[in-house]
Amino acid sequence: MRCRVRLVVVSGNSAVAVVTGATGGIGRALVTELIERGYWVVAVGRSPASLTDVLPPDRGAFVHWDQRDRTVPRALAELEQVDVLVHNAGVAPLTSVEDTSAESVADILSVNLTSPTVLTASLLRALRRARGHVVFIHSSRGMSGVPGWSGYLGSKAALEHLANSLRAEECDQGLRVTSVFPGAVATELLKQVREDRGQPFEPERSVSPATAARLIADAVQHPGGGYLTELSFAWCS
């Protein structure tokens, strides 16, 4: 198998995983976990320097993409085979309806919905070839009517419908689609959200990014004959 990323051709038999939002808490942990499980990882994000210690050049590559730009980078679109695609990138600004602008809504939708849609469409042929697995990271299950999060929760609700439609459309092609509804995960994003709301950030009472990554990777490495269409998890002492 040959996968071209930034004019680099990587040869070998490793399964290929694409992870967006790779420089954040869950994304970074997923890069580490998938490499440990033998995947060749295409890490997608905005800050390559934050991954230099976990993404060795012989086990993957970094593709820069600010997903507010909805154009899929050529380096991703030209991948020939993709075994796993994880849509982890997301933004969650705290903005009241009164203070919402067309620009702010467009940015949220671009990152949380439009980019996952166009990236999936761009990679469908490569995913079908591998009988691959697409993973969508959603908001926590049951979140609704949260002040300041109309844009975020609206985009995540739409993302869930995207996942459900993709699953129905591509089942006969052997494509698997899993929706992940994480509980509180101790990431910088959760810390910022809690600070914005004047709430305490308690990482010791949250799922660690490493644990979240292991649970997601376990769902991807299904035994065959069946798989998890949904995954929810939460912290417990």
Side-chain angles (χ1 to χ4, degrees), residues 3 5 15-22 30-31 34 39-44 61 63 65 75-76 79 81-88 119 123 126-127 133-135:
C3 295
V5 181
V16 175
V18 177
V19 180
T20 72
L30 265 172
V31 169
L34 292 171
Y39 287 87
W40 195 84
V41 177
V42 182
V44 183
V63 174
W65 187 21
L76 294 176
L79 288 169
Q81 181 168 321
V82 175
D83 299 87
V84 177
L85 169 60
V86 182
H87 291 293
N88 176 66
L119 179 58
L123 292 179
L127 285 159
H133 202 135
V134 183
V135 178

Coordinates of all heavy atoms in Angstrom, one line a residue, residues 3 5 15-22 30-31 34 39-44 61 63 65 75-76 79 81-88 119 123 126-127 133-135:
C3 N 0.8 5.5 0.4 CA -0.1 6.6 0.7 C 0.8 7.9 0.6 O 1.9 8.0 1.3 CB -0.6 6.5 2.2 SG -1.7 5.2 2.4
V5 N 1.5 11.7 1.3 CA 1.2 12.8 2.2 C 2.3 13.9 2.1 O 3.4 13.6 2.3 CB 1.0 12.4 3.7 CG1 0.7 13.5 4.6 CG2 0.0 11.2 3.8
A15 N -2.1 -0.5 8.5 CA -3.4 0.1 8.3 C -3.2 1.6 8.5 O -2.4 2.1 9.3 CB -4.4 -0.4 9.3
V16 N -4.0 2.4 7.7 CA -3.8 3.9 7.8 C -5.0 4.5 8.5 O -6.2 4.2 8.2 CB -3.8 4.5 6.3 CG1 -3.7 6.0 6.4 CG2 -2.5 3.9 5.6
A17 N -4.7 5.4 9.5 CA -5.7 6.1 10.2 C -5.5 7.6 10.0 O -4.4 8.1 10.1 CB -5.6 5.7 11.7
V18 N -6.6 8.3 9.8 CA -6.6 9.7 9.7 C -7.3 10.3 10.9 O -8.5 9.9 11.2 CB -7.3 10.2 8.4 CG1 -7.4 11.7 8.4 CG2 -6.6 9.7 7.2
V19 N -6.7 11.2 11.6 CA -7.3 11.8 12.9 C -7.3 13.3 12.7 O -6.2 13.9 12.6 CB -6.5 11.4 14.1 CG1 -7.1 12.0 15.4 CG2 -6.4 9.8 14.2
T20 N -8.4 13.9 12.7 CA -8.5 15.4 12.7 C -8.5 15.9 14.2 O -8.8 15.1 15.1 CB -9.8 15.9 12.0 OG1 -10.9 15.6 12.8 CG2 -9.9 15.2 10.6
G21 N -8.2 17.1 14.3 CA -8.1 17.7 15.7 C -7.0 16.9 16.5 O -7.1 16.7 17.7
A22 N -5.9 16.6 15.7 CA -4.9 15.7 16.3 C -4.0 16.4 17.3 O -3.3 15.7 18.1 CB -4.0 15.1 15.2
L30 N -5.1 9.9 20.8 CA -5.5 8.9 19.7 C -4.3 8.6 18.8 O -4.1 7.5 18.4 CB -6.7 9.4 18.9 CG -8.1 8.9 19.4 CD1 -9.2 9.6 18.6 CD2 -8.2 7.4 19.2
V31 N -3.6 9.7 18.5 CA -2.4 9.5 17.6 C -1.4 8.5 18.3 O -1.0 7.5 17.7 CB -1.7 10.8 17.3 CG1 -0.3 10.6 16.7 CG2 -2.5 11.7 16.5
L34 N -3.1 4.8 18.5 CA -3.2 4.1 17.2 C -1.8 3.7 16.7 O -1.6 2.7 16.1 CB -3.9 5.0 16.2 CG -5.4 5.2 16.4 CD1 -6.0 6.3 15.5 CD2 -6.2 3.9 16.3
Y39 N -0.9 1.3 13.6 CA -1.4 2.1 12.5 C -0.3 3.1 12.0 O 0.5 3.5 12.8 CB -2.6 2.9 12.9 CG -3.9 2.1 13.0 CD1 -4.2 1.5 14.2 CD2 -4.8 1.9 12.0 CE1 -5.3 0.7 14.4 CE2 -5.9 1.2 12.1 CZ -6.2 0.6 13.3 OH -7.3 -0.2 13.5
W40 N -0.4 3.4 10.7 CA 0.3 4.6 10.2 C -0.7 5.7 10.2 O -1.7 5.7 9.6 CB 0.8 4.3 8.8 CG 1.9 5.2 8.3 CD1 3.2 5.1 8.5 CD2 1.7 6.4 7.5 NE1 3.8 6.1 7.8 CE2 2.9 6.9 7.2 CE3 0.5 7.0 6.9 CZ2 3.1 8.1 6.5 CZ3 0.7 8.1 6.2 CH2 2.0 8.7 5.9
V41 N -0.3 6.8 10.9 CA -1.3 7.8 11.3 C -1.1 9.1 10.5 O 0.0 9.7 10.5 CB -1.3 8.1 12.8 CG1 -2.3 9.3 13.2 CG2 -1.7 6.9 13.6
V42 N -2.1 9.6 9.9 CA -2.1 10.9 9.3 C -2.8 11.9 10.3 O -4.0 11.8 10.5 CB -2.9 11.0 8.0 CG1 -2.8 12.4 7.4 CG2 -2.3 10.0 7.0
A43 N -2.0 12.7 11.0 CA -2.5 13.6 12.0 C -2.8 14.9 11.4 O -2.0 15.6 10.7 CB -1.4 13.8 13.1
V44 N -4.1 15.4 11.5 CA -4.5 16.6 10.9 C -4.8 17.6 12.0 O -5.5 17.4 12.9 CB -5.8 16.4 10.1 CG1 -6.3 17.6 9.4 CG2 -5.7 15.2 9.1
A61 N 2.4 11.1 9.4 CA 2.8 12.4 8.9 C 1.7 13.4 9.4 O 0.6 13.0 9.7 CB 2.8 12.4 7.3
V63 N -0.6 16.7 8.5 CA -1.2 17.6 7.5 C -1.8 18.8 8.1 O -2.7 18.6 9.0 CB -2.2 16.8 6.6 CG1 -2.9 17.8 5.7 CG2 -1.6 15.7 5.9
W65 N -4.3 21.7 8.5 CA -5.6 22.1 8.0 C -6.3 22.9 9.1 O -6.7 22.3 10.1 CB -6.4 20.9 7.5 CG -7.7 21.2 6.8 CD1 -8.0 22.4 6.3 CD2 -8.8 20.4 6.7 NE1 -9.3 22.3 5.7 CE2 -9.8 21.1 5.9 CE3 -9.1 19.0 7.0 CZ2 -11.0 20.5 5.6 CZ3 -10.3 18.5 6.7 CH2 -11.2 19.2 6.0
A75 N -3.2 16.7 0.1 CA -2.5 15.6 0.7 C -3.5 14.6 1.3 O -3.2 13.4 1.4 CB -1.6 16.1 1.8
L76 N -4.7 15.0 1.8 CA -5.7 14.1 2.3 C -6.5 13.5 1.2 O -6.7 12.3 1.1 CB -6.6 14.8 3.3 CG -6.0 15.3 4.6 CD1 -7.0 16.1 5.4 CD2 -5.4 14.1 5.4
L79 N -5.1 10.4 -0.6 CA -4.8 9.1 0.0 C -5.5 8.0 -0.7 O -6.7 8.1 -1.1 CB -5.3 9.1 1.5 CG -4.4 10.0 2.5 CD1 -5.2 10.2 3.8 CD2 -3.1 9.3 2.7
Q81 N -5.9 4.7 0.4 CA -6.6 3.7 1.2 C -6.6 4.3 2.6 O -5.6 4.7 3.1 CB -6.0 2.3 1.2 CG -6.7 1.3 2.1 CD -6.3 -0.1 1.8 OE1 -6.0 -0.5 0.7 NE2 -6.2 -0.9 2.8
V82 N -7.8 4.3 3.2 CA -7.9 4.8 4.6 C -8.7 3.7 5.4 O -9.9 3.4 5.0 CB -8.7 6.1 4.7 CG1 -8.9 6.5 6.1 CG2 -7.8 7.2 4.0
D83 N -8.1 3.2 6.4 CA -8.8 2.1 7.2 C -9.6 2.8 8.4 O -10.7 2.2 8.7 CB -7.7 1.2 7.8 CG -6.9 0.5 6.8 OD1 -5.9 1.1 6.3 OD2 -7.3 -0.6 6.4
V84 N -9.2 3.9 8.9 CA -9.9 4.5 10.0 C -9.9 6.0 9.8 O -8.8 6.6 9.5 CB -9.3 4.2 11.4 CG1 -10.0 4.9 12.5 CG2 -9.3 2.7 11.6
L85 N -11.0 6.7 9.9 CA -11.1 8.1 9.8 C -11.8 8.6 11.1 O -13.0 8.2 11.4 CB -11.9 8.6 8.6 CG -12.3 10.0 8.5 CD1 -11.1 11.0 8.5 CD2 -13.2 10.3 7.3
V86 N -11.1 9.4 11.9 CA -11.7 9.9 13.2 C -11.9 11.4 13.0 O -10.9 12.2 12.9 CB -10.8 9.6 14.4 CG1 -11.4 10.1 15.7 CG2 -10.5 8.1 14.5
H87 N -13.2 11.8 13.1 CA -13.5 13.2 13.1 C -13.5 13.7 14.6 O -14.5 13.6 15.3 CB -14.9 13.4 12.5 CG -14.9 13.2 11.0 ND1 -14.2 13.9 10.1 CD2 -15.5 12.2 10.3 CE1 -14.4 13.5 8.9 NE2 -15.2 12.4 9.0
N88 N -12.4 14.3 15.0 CA -12.2 14.7 16.4 C -12.2 16.2 16.5 O -12.5 16.8 17.5 CB -11.0 14.1 17.0 CG -10.7 14.6 18.4 OD1 -11.5 14.4 19.3 ND2 -9.6 15.4 18.5
L119 N -14.7 16.1 4.0 CA -13.6 15.2 4.2 C -14.0 13.7 4.0 O -13.4 12.9 3.3 CB -12.9 15.3 5.5 CG -11.7 14.4 5.8 CD1 -10.6 14.6 4.7 CD2 -11.1 14.7 7.2
L123 N -12.9 11.1 1.0 CA -12.2 9.9 1.3 C -13.0 8.6 1.1 O -12.5 7.5 1.4 CB -11.6 9.9 2.7 CG -10.5 10.9 3.0 CD1 -10.1 10.9 4.4 CD2 -9.3 10.7 2.1
A126 N -11.4 5.7 -0.8 CA -10.3 5.1 0.0 C -10.9 4.3 1.1 O -10.3 3.2 1.5 CB -9.4 6.2 0.4
L127 N -11.9 4.8 1.8 CA -12.5 4.0 2.9 C -13.2 2.8 2.4 O -13.1 1.7 3.0 CB -13.5 4.9 3.6 CG -13.0 6.0 4.5 CD1 -14.0 7.1 4.7 CD2 -12.5 5.4 5.8
H133 N -13.6 2.3 8.7 CA -14.3 2.7 9.8 C -14.3 4.2 10.0 O -13.2 4.7 10.1 CB -13.8 1.9 11.1 CG -14.7 1.8 12.2 ND1 -14.9 0.6 12.9 CD2 -15.6 2.7 12.8 CE1 -15.8 0.8 13.8 NE2 -16.3 2.0 13.8
V134 N -15.4 4.8 10.1 CA -15.5 6.3 10.4 C -16.0 6.5 11.8 O -17.0 5.9 12.2 CB -16.4 7.0 9.3 CG1 -16.4 8.5 9.6 CG2 -15.9 6.7 7.9
V135 N -15.3 7.3 12.5 CA -15.7 7.7 13.9 C -16.0 9.1 14.0 O -15.1 10.0 13.6 CB -14.6 7.3 14.9 CG1 -14.9 7.7 16.3 CG2 -14.3 5.8 14.8

